[in-house]
Amino acid sequence: MRLGGRWRRLFAGILDIIIVGVISSPFTYETFTTVWDTDKDVFVRVPIQHTFLAALIGFLYYWLLTAFWNGQTLGKKLFGLRVVDVGGGKVGVGQAAVRELVAWLLYATCCLGWINLAFILFNKRKQAIHDIAARTLVVDV
């Protein structure tokens, strides 16, 4: 197995982020609700951001495509990459879920998403933290 290149992983990731953004954009709208402000004795409008559904769409995109589409998202397919088990076998459904759950938790935590990605630069197997946690590699097709 030949490990996937860092630059191709970067560009595949950027493409996937764009795709997820386009798919989830209708679900990232902002609405307002009216609540009673007891300090001022008036009703005030409070903005509510609808991002949970968008995050769920992103998680499902990465998880389901990785688990059921030969270890590839659309970006990975276009750039000739795929996710495999550390032994070179197909990634399991649970393994893909762990990979994406760890990635999403790190991205949602201040700055840990960058540290996660930086691991690719210094790890001899080019694994990010989420790859290490799920025991996966990104390889050339």
Side-chain angles (χ1 to χ4, degrees), residues 61-100:
Y61 169 86
Y62 288 100
W63 172 47
L64 294 174
L65 286 178
T66 300
F68 295 108
W69 203 39
N70 196 31
Q72 296 175 298
T73 58
L74 294 172
K76 282 184 181 64
K77 186 162 186 72
L78 182 68
F79 284 92
L81 301 167
R82 68 178 233 166
V83 178
V84 297
D85 183 81
V86 289
K90 185 178 179 202
V91 174
V93 175
Q95 195 174 17
V98 167
R99 184 178 192 270
E100 298 313 321

Side-chain angles (χ1 to χ4, degrees), residues 94-135:
Q95 195 174 17
V98 167
R99 184 178 192 270
E100 298 313 321
L101 183 62
V102 169
W104 282 90
L105 289 174
L106 291 171
Y107 297 144
T109 308
C110 179
C111 302
L112 292 183
W114 293 108
I115 293 169
N116 177 39
L117 296 177
F119 261 68
I120 296 169
L121 300 174
F122 305 107
N123 185 291
K124 68 178 182 173
R125 297 171 85 182
K126 300 179 187 177
Q127 291 175 293
I129 295 171
H130 62 272
D131 289 312
I132 295 167
R135 299 183 37 83

